[in-house]
Amino acid sequence: MEGWWELNSQVAAIGAAAHRGAVDEALHLFGTFNSAVQSLRKESDAVYVCCRSQRELNYFIASQPDLLKVRVLDWCVAWGMFLKAFALSKAGRFGEALQSVEEAAKLAPLYAHAQVERGYILNRLGRAQEALAAYARAWELVARLPENLESAGAALRGQAVALVELGDLDRAEKLLRDSLVVEPGNTVA
């Protein structure tokens, strides 16, 4: 079995390839990474989850009282899954990206950035109502868990974009103004 340090280095390589736009390289690296991750998921009756803090884990467990067996994987597993979705999205392969980001969100259900990316992908697929729901979920996670604060502006801007697509320009404008309170000077808003 691979050590977490090895998985972390694989995730770093996936991220570097994804940010360079080398999607085929990122997906090849992801294949090796995913094989190692699957070898860690040995208990079919367990729910596997990645959390960035004890607070997130406590929140997850409290919100899922019927779970009998939870296994926590290192955060790098969720990050690697997210990077696959990011690489596919960056390449314009939105159908595949949606499937990948949903896998990442299932593994890290309290990660607002995965919901932001899901909203972006859904907007690109012309599914504005679903995109709005994903961005609203991201905003809810920002409000509940400080680990998600970096996604606050994107969650608000994403809701605004979806609302423009849905024809609700007044609400969209308000959300863009709110995003500037969270991220003053942001040029996207």
Side-chain angles (χ1 to χ4, degrees):
M1 179 171 68
E2 313 240 4
W4 292 118
W5 59 92
E6 178 60 28
L7 290 177
N8 271 301
S9 66
Q10 289 177 13
V11 169
I14 294 166
H19 286 287
R20 282 195 319 273
V23 176
D24 291 336
E25 179 186 350
L27 294 177
H28 174 73
L29 292 167
F30 179 81
T32 304
F33 168 78
N34 195 43
S35 294
V37 168
Q38 294 310 315
S39 72
L40 299 172
R41 299 173 87 172
K42 297 177 183 176
E43 299 175 67
S44 61
D45 60 336
V47 171
Y48 288 87
V49 66
C50 296
C51 297
R52 291 170 290 175
S53 69
Q54 186 65 48
R55 175 183 26 247
E56 273 191 0
L57 179 59
N58 293 345
Y59 184 87
F60 175 77
I61 290 171
S63 69
Q64 307 281 328
D66 296 334
L67 288 180
L68 299 176
K69 191 185 283 188
V70 176
R71 297 292 179 252
V72 180
L73 298 174
D74 189 85
W75 180 252
C76 74
V77 174
W79 184 239
M81 298 294 194
F82 175 80
L83 287 172
K84 177 185 179 191
F86 174 77
L88 289 165
S89 178
K90 190 171 182 175
R93 294 165 56 180
F94 298 113
E96 294 170 85
L98 181 59
Q99 181 180 355
S100 293
V101 81
E102 287 175 350
E103 289 173 21
K106 183 178 178 185
L107 192 58
L110 302 176
Y111 184 41
H113 195 64
Q115 292 300 324
V116 167
E117 187 67 20
R118 184 171 178 269
Y120 172 79
I121 293 165
L122 287 164
N123 261 337
R124 295 301 304 259
L125 290 170
R127 294 162 57 182
Q129 194 67 49
E130 292 171 84
L132 180 60
Y135 287 122
R137 174 68 178 146
W139 179 248
E140 176 187 324
L141 291 169
V142 166
R144 292 187 185 278
L145 296 160
E147 291 84 351
N148 288 312
L149 190 56
E150 77 279 351
S151 296
L156 292 169
R157 286 188 303 276
Q159 288 180 75
V161 169
L163 286 168
V164 166
E165 292 296 318
L166 295 169
D168 192 342
L169 301 181
D170 290 338
R171 278 183 56 205
E173 182 180 2
K174 182 193 179 313
L175 287 168
L176 286 175
R177 289 182 195 280
D178 290 348
S179 78
L180 287 171
V181 172
V182 174
E183 291 180 354
N186 182 286
T187 59
V188 176

